[in-house]
Amino acid sequence: MKLAFIGSGIMGEPMCGHLLAGGHAVALHSRTKSKAERLIAAGATWCDSPADAARDADIIFVNVPDTPDVGKVLLGVNGVIESARPGTIAIDHSTISPTATREMASKLAAKQVTLLDAPVSGGDVGAKNATLSIMVGGDKAAFDRALPLLQLLGKTITYAGRSGNGQLTKLVNQILVSVTNLAVSEAMNFAQQSGLDAAATIQAVGGGAAGSWQLQNLGPKMLKGDFTPGFMIDLQQKDLRLVLESAKELNLSLRAVALVSDLFATAQSRGWGREGTQALFKTIGRSDWP
Amino acid sequence: MKLAFIGSGIMGEPMCGHLLAGGHAVALHSRTKSKAERLIAAGATWCDSPADAARDADIIFVNVPDTPDVGKVLLGVNGVIESARPGTIAIDHSTISPTATREMASKLAAKQVTLLDAPVSGGDVGAKNATLSIMVGGDKAAFDRALPLLQLLGKTITYAGRSGNGQLTKLVNQILVSVTNLAVSEAMNFAQQSGLDAAATIQAVGGGAAGSWQLQNLGPKMLKGDFTPGFMIDLQQKDLRLVLESAKELNLSLRAVALVSDLFATAQSRGWGREGTQALFKTIGRSDWP
């Protein structure tokens, strides 16, 4: 199958690498050519625009930062829509607005191009090890056709229903991740400040109703003062903005998400935007963190 | 060993039953004698006051609702302090103020009575099945002496350090439980209102960084509209009041706990105080719940 890949950032590069390693021809475009060099060396064919990359492709993968970037790549000047043939599938792995996704899908559908929204979770480690979770919205037949390729990229691949539902599922994931992180941050500050052995406290309570992935994985990092990013606050903030925008469209009040987002803004103002989300711990805690 | 047991409520009754079943003589007092009848039939000896129950005991168990109740039982008129012999251990399974616990421990210590604070988690089911988690603060030698008895009551028994640390550990547990519950409540409302198959969404995201006990156990109940109590909102509120009081003593801001407590107050005002904590889901959601 002829593939196109657009975006060779921290997630896109290893994902594109897995497709190449799977024996597929890949036409590659990236905003910054220098970031594509390793993939070109691995056999990808460089293209000067999304339209060039998409021209001969059966399936087009997109992995760029945010909603406007996806809009430009798919629908803009020299975008996918200018060259993609009828019957092509576009798979967007970026985390972007569910509503914008549906609008783009309908514009592409007018050219018989099927858009699948397929945001991922699992971070750069998941991308490197092909252990990502991928949540997919859009036409089921297109999903079935794309599935063997998605299985080169991730481990848990879920079909979530109509266009936009992959994005919505990812946003549910981000609500859970961020508010549970706040639970752990408050609990670890309370444990530490009250004089408990906070690491032993995780052991004592983590196996029961208080347990979570965030507690087991971020709790110990908080206590060690290890704020190296598994997932960066700046990126989490982008996703929470999408959550709050969607909640507004639904007339839904998400006070805990709004609170976390506000606290992450404080973290960003203190220069911690590129630290891991576990830096929420120090954001709400003692005032003497560097 | 001669035991005393004070309090035969929803938790105390099955716990006292395990001690009797373990072959121990138990002198029993309870505020309401009728609630003690099954235990008396099972071999407990009725006593008219905490002082009477404590008179010949080596170890005294207390399981009553709140801080003032424990204060009355231990230090009040006809309380434990009036009759307990030097060398006796008092084990308080109630969830109460860590600070008050330390004050009571020091008053009892003046009479050579050692107080262990040993709040439990696991609910009435855990009490019945002797699978409670028990978090213990106080003198280590007294803990070691009491351990074989605690093992009749629970499965995970943790020594948390000095007096009050059992209570503090329980409060850390309640911070995690309640704020993670809020994460799940917001996520499930978002999933449902946005048109996702919310049960399938739990499957899709629950195995990764979004996963928690609360999601796996309370999420499905929320979606089914099953608000029968595993743990009642009224009791959760009492524990969150203790958390917020302790946080105030520590000059620690716990905004998410304050938010959950505020939302639970709304639930109580709507008549849902005796429903399970998963009723937080409907408290923040659609306005048409009965």
Side-chain angles (χ1 to χ4, degrees), chain A:
Chain A
M1 204 143 22
K2 284 187 175 171
L3 308 181
F5 205 100
I6 297 160
S8 56
I10 193 167
M11 299 295 287
E13 183 179 359
M15 290 168 75
C16 182
H18 295 312
L19 296 172
L20 287 165
H24 296 282
V26 178
L28 176 68
H29 173 74
S30 186
R31 202 162 44 180
T32 315
K33 189 176 178 183
S34 61
K35 286 194 185 172
E37 272 164 14
R38 271 181 299 206
L39 290 169
I40 295 167
T45 306
W46 175 257
C47 300
D48 281 326
S49 73
D52 282 349
R55 189 158 287 117
D56 296 319
D58 301 302
I59 301 192
I60 302 156
F61 294 82
V62 179
N63 212 320
V64 296
D66 208 343
T67 312
D69 309 297
V70 176
K72 221 181 277 179
V73 161
L74 292 178
L75 307 173
V77 177
N78 293 319
V80 164
I81 201 166
E82 292 188 358
S83 67
R85 296 167 307 177
T88 305
I89 298 171
I91 303 177
D92 176 23
H93 288 302
S94 324
T95 296
I96 67 163
S97 156
T99 306
T101 291
R102 287 172 181 161
E103 290 163 6
M104 293 181 204
S106 109
K107 282 178 187 157
L108 288 166
K111 302 256 177 175
Q112 279 93 57
V113 173
T114 305
L115 178 64
L116 296 175
D117 49 303
V120 303
S121 75
D124 53 333
V125 175
K128 271 179 201 129
N129 301 336
T131 56
L132 293 169
S133 291
I134 311 180
M135 297 144 269
V136 189
D139 181 67
K140 180 66 163 64
F143 170 77
D144 291 336
R145 234 179 97 201
L147 187 57
L149 294 166
L150 296 175
Q151 283 165 338
L152 295 174
L153 307 178
K155 226 171 62 173
T156 311
I157 296 150
T158 308
Y159 178 70
R162 74 183 183 106
S163 176
N165 280 11
Q167 297 295 349
L168 288 167
T169 302
K170 173 72 185 283
L171 296 185
V172 170
N173 186 79
Q174 299 306 71
I175 295 170
L176 289 164
V177 162
S178 62
V179 180
T180 307
N181 179 3
L182 182 55
V184 176
S185 296
E186 293 200 350
M188 292 299 99
N189 270 290
F190 184 91
Q192 209 174 53
Q193 294 298 304
S194 67
L196 290 176
D197 177 339
T201 304
I202 295 177
Q203 295 308 310
V205 305
S212 65
W213 188 100
Q214 298 282 313
L215 178 64
Q216 293 301 339
N217 289 274
L218 297 191
K221 288 186 183 183
M222 293 172 184
L223 300 176
K224 282 180 209 140
D226 172 6
F227 302 117
T228 54
F231 189 64
M232 251 188 267
I233 286 176
D234 285 343
L235 295 175
Q236 180 75 285
Q237 271 299 60
K238 188 208 89 182
D239 293 355
L240 294 185
R241 192 199 74 224
L242 295 171
V243 169
L244 292 170
E245 283 170 8
S246 290
K248 199 161 186 180
E249 292 168 16
L250 296 165
N251 287 320
L252 188 63
S253 159
L254 297 181
R255 291 171 64 186
V257 172
L259 172 57
V260 183
S261 176
D262 183 59
L263 292 166
F264 277 137
T266 302
Q268 289 174 310
S269 77
R270 293 173 77 174
W272 300 336
R274 300 181 65 81
E275 296 195 356
T277 54
Q278 71 272 24
L280 187 57
F281 168 76
K282 60 177 176 177
T283 308
I284 65 167
R286 288 160 29 206
S287 60
D288 55 345
W289 284 98

Side-chain angles (χ1 to χ4, degrees), chain B residues 122-187:
Chain B
D124 54 333
V125 175
K128 271 180 201 126
N129 302 335
T131 55
L132 294 168
S133 291
I134 310 180
M135 297 144 270
V136 188
D139 180 66
K140 181 64 164 63
F143 170 78
D144 290 337
R145 234 179 98 203
L147 187 57
L149 293 166
L150 296 175
Q151 284 165 337
L152 296 175
L153 307 179
K155 226 171 62 174
T156 312
I157 295 150
T158 308
Y159 179 70
R162 74 183 182 106
S163 175
N165 279 11
Q167 297 296 350
L168 289 166
T169 303
K170 173 72 185 283
L171 296 186
V172 171
N173 186 77
Q174 299 306 69
I175 295 170
L176 289 164
V177 162
S178 62
V179 181
T180 307
N181 180 2
L182 182 54
V184 176
S185 296
E186 292 200 350

Side-chain angles (χ1 to χ4, degrees), chain B:
Chain B
M1 204 146 17
K2 285 186 174 173
L3 309 181
F5 204 100
I6 297 160
S8 55
I10 193 165
M11 299 296 286
E13 183 178 358
M15 291 168 74
C16 182
H18 295 312
L19 296 172
L20 286 165
H24 297 281
V26 178
L28 175 68
H29 174 74
S30 188
R31 202 162 42 179
T32 314
K33 189 176 177 183
S34 61
K35 286 193 185 172
E37 273 163 14
R38 270 181 299 206
L39 290 169
I40 294 168
T45 306
W46 174 256
C47 299
D48 282 327
S49 72
D52 282 348
R55 188 158 285 119
D56 297 318
D58 302 302
I59 301 191
I60 302 157
F61 294 81
V62 179
N63 212 320
V64 296
D66 207 344
T67 312
D69 310 297
V70 176
K72 222 180 279 181
V73 162
L74 292 179
L75 307 174
V77 177
N78 295 319
V80 165
I81 201 166
E82 292 188 358
S83 68
R85 296 166 309 179
T88 305
I89 299 171
I91 303 177
D92 177 23
H93 288 302
S94 324
T95 296
I96 66 165
S97 156
T99 305
T101 290
R102 287 172 182 162
E103 290 164 6
M104 293 180 203
S106 112
K107 282 177 186 158
L108 288 166
K111 302 257 178 176
Q112 280 92 59
V113 174
T114 304
L115 178 63
L116 297 175
D117 49 303
V120 304
S121 75
D124 54 333
V125 175
K128 271 180 201 126
N129 302 335
T131 55
L132 294 168
S133 291
I134 310 180
M135 297 144 270
V136 188
D139 180 66
K140 181 64 164 63
F143 170 78
D144 290 337
R145 234 179 98 203
L147 187 57
L149 293 166
L150 296 175
Q151 284 165 337
L152 296 175
L153 307 179
K155 226 171 62 174
T156 312
I157 295 150
T158 308
Y159 179 70
R162 74 183 182 106
S163 175
N165 279 11
Q167 297 296 350
L168 289 166
T169 303
K170 173 72 185 283
L171 296 186
V172 171
N173 186 77
Q174 299 306 69
I175 295 170
L176 289 164
V177 162
S178 62
V179 181
T180 307
N181 180 2
L182 182 54
V184 176
S185 296
E186 292 200 350
M188 291 299 98
N189 269 289
F190 184 91
Q192 209 173 54
Q193 295 298 304
S194 67
L196 289 176
D197 176 340
T201 305
I202 295 177
Q203 295 308 309
V205 306
S212 65
W213 187 100
Q214 297 283 314
L215 178 64
Q216 293 300 340
N217 289 275
L218 297 191
K221 288 185 184 185
M222 293 173 185
L223 300 176
K224 282 179 208 140
D226 172 5
F227 302 117
T228 54
F231 190 64
M232 251 188 267
I233 285 176
D234 284 344
L235 295 175
Q236 179 75 286
Q237 271 298 61
K238 188 207 87 180
D239 293 354
L240 294 184
R241 191 200 74 222
L242 295 170
V243 169
L244 292 169
E245 282 170 9
S246 290
K248 198 161 186 180
E249 292 169 17
L250 295 165
N251 288 319
L252 188 62
S253 159
L254 298 181
R255 291 172 64 186
V257 173
L259 172 57
V260 183
S261 176
D262 183 58
L263 292 166
F264 278 137
T266 302
Q268 290 174 310
S269 77
R270 293 172 78 174
W272 300 335
R274 299 181 66 82
E275 296 195 356
T277 54
Q278 72 273 22
L280 187 58
F281 168 76
K282 60 177 175 178
T283 308
I284 65 168
R286 288 161 31 205
S287 59
D288 56 345
W289 284 99

